[in-house]
Amino acid sequence: QKEVEQNSGPLSVPEGAIASLNCTYSDRGSQSFFWYRQYSGKSPELIMFIYSNGDKEDGRFTAQLNKASQYVSLLIRDSQPSDSATYLCAVTGQETSGSARQLTFGSGTQLTVLP
Amino acid sequence: NAGVTQTPKFRILKIGQSMTLQCTQDMNHNYMYWYRQDPGMGLKLIYYSVGAGITDKGEVPNGYNVSRSTTEDFPLRLELAAPSQTSVYFCASSSARRSNQPQHFGDGTRLSIL
């Protein structure tokens, strides 16, 4: 059973600070990693995806992947109150397996950015 | 720019009733998925489809059925509704080009079984 673990939070940061969200996964063969943002009562929306070790930056968001440690993180710079949401980490299976296109989700980290 | 459309948005069922949750996408995606999300939890995969006529079970398929007669539509059927099926249901789709294509989600159906 593949597992994706996230700290449930809540995580509170002041406006303008860096928010750091972490995720670990159990399947060493996992290939693709996604971060979704979910506002209360809404559907998940894609924030970032990363496939290769290292950092990937998109605006205020940076995804970091370390496959050796089975760890993926999301950094949000200059956090805004509008970033307050639950952030879901999702992981696919191995490329050659039947689960390559199935996402396993963590339970999410609730982030609150304080004005 | 419809994307993934789910109907209904809300529904209350009595125990033992049945219903079909509708999902349609206009992005010509081969892959479609049904998830459920219980309060404070992540999404769990119920069923998925890799194309018309092909479906397979996910992590939590018991109590549900699906069909995929067209590329666009992927309905989820609940037979003999039980209180444990009270949840928010999300449908998603993705391109078949590579496994690293992100999934696009509908707005969800909030279902209560009383």
Side-chain angles (χ1 to χ4, degrees):
Chain A
Q1 181 78 2
K2 295 190 291 292
E3 293 184 350
V4 177
E5 300 288 339
Q6 296 181 254
N7 290 329
S8 61
L11 173 66
S12 294
V13 300
E15 185 174 356
I18 296 175
S20 177
L21 305 164
N22 304 316
C23 173
T24 59
Y25 58 95
S26 63
D27 184 359
R28 186 168 290 278
S30 296
Q31 291 290 320
S32 305
F33 307 85
F34 300 86
W35 283 99
Y36 284 86
R37 178 176 63 196
Q38 188 175 29
Y39 292 113
S40 181
K42 301 296 185 181
S43 61
E45 59 175 318
L46 183 70
I47 297 297
M48 293 281 294
F49 55 90
I50 187 167
Y51 317 129
S52 303
N53 277 327
D55 295 358
K56 179 182 179 181
E57 186 175 318
D58 184 0
R60 295 187 297 112
F61 299 95
T62 299
Q64 299 175 317
L65 175 61
N66 184 327
K67 289 188 176 182
S69 299
Q70 295 175 240
Y71 175 91
V72 58
S73 66
L74 179 70
L75 301 178
I76 306 174
R77 290 182 301 280
D78 188 23
S79 296
Q80 301 297 309
S82 59
D83 294 327
S84 298
T86 296
Y87 288 80
L88 299 168
C89 173
V91 176
T92 63
Q94 299 184 32
E95 181 68 27
T96 55
S97 75
S99 63
R101 288 178 174 78
Q102 295 180 35
L103 285 177
T104 299
F105 282 84
S107 58
T109 297
Q110 184 180 343
L111 172 67
T112 300
V113 180
L114 304 171
Chain B
N1 229 12
V4 179
T5 302
Q6 293 184 237
T7 57
K9 294 189 184 303
F10 304 93
R11 185 72 185 269
I12 298 174
L13 282 183
K14 294 182 179 179
I15 295 172
Q17 287 185 322
S18 60
M19 77 163 292
T20 299
L21 281 66
Q22 302 291 344
C23 175
T24 186
Q25 53 91 10
D26 62 359
M27 297 175 281
N28 201 31
H29 285 167
N30 283 71
Y31 285 76
M32 296 189 73
Y33 311 82
W34 274 107
Y35 295 90
R36 60 175 288 172
Q37 185 177 31
D38 298 329
M41 303 297 289
L43 284 72
K44 293 191 182 296
L45 183 65
I46 304 171
Y47 271 96
Y48 68 100
S49 170
V50 303
I54 306 170
T55 63
D56 207 349
K57 297 177 181 179
E59 184 183 357
V60 289
N62 291 344
Y64 307 95
N65 279 299
V66 294
S67 59
R68 184 94 181 271
S69 57
T70 67
T71 298
E72 294 78 20
D73 300 308
F74 189 40
L76 177 72
R77 178 82 175 165
L78 277 73
E79 308 279 3
L80 298 175
S84 61
Q85 293 178 306
T86 293
S87 191
V88 181
Y89 292 84
F90 290 104
C91 179
S93 71
S94 67
S95 168
R97 291 201 312 273
R98 291 183 60 184
S99 64
N100 55 20
Q101 296 302 303
Q103 295 182 17
H104 302 268
F105 286 83
D107 290 339
T109 294
R110 284 150 185 79
L111 180 63
S112 295
I113 314 296
L114 303 176

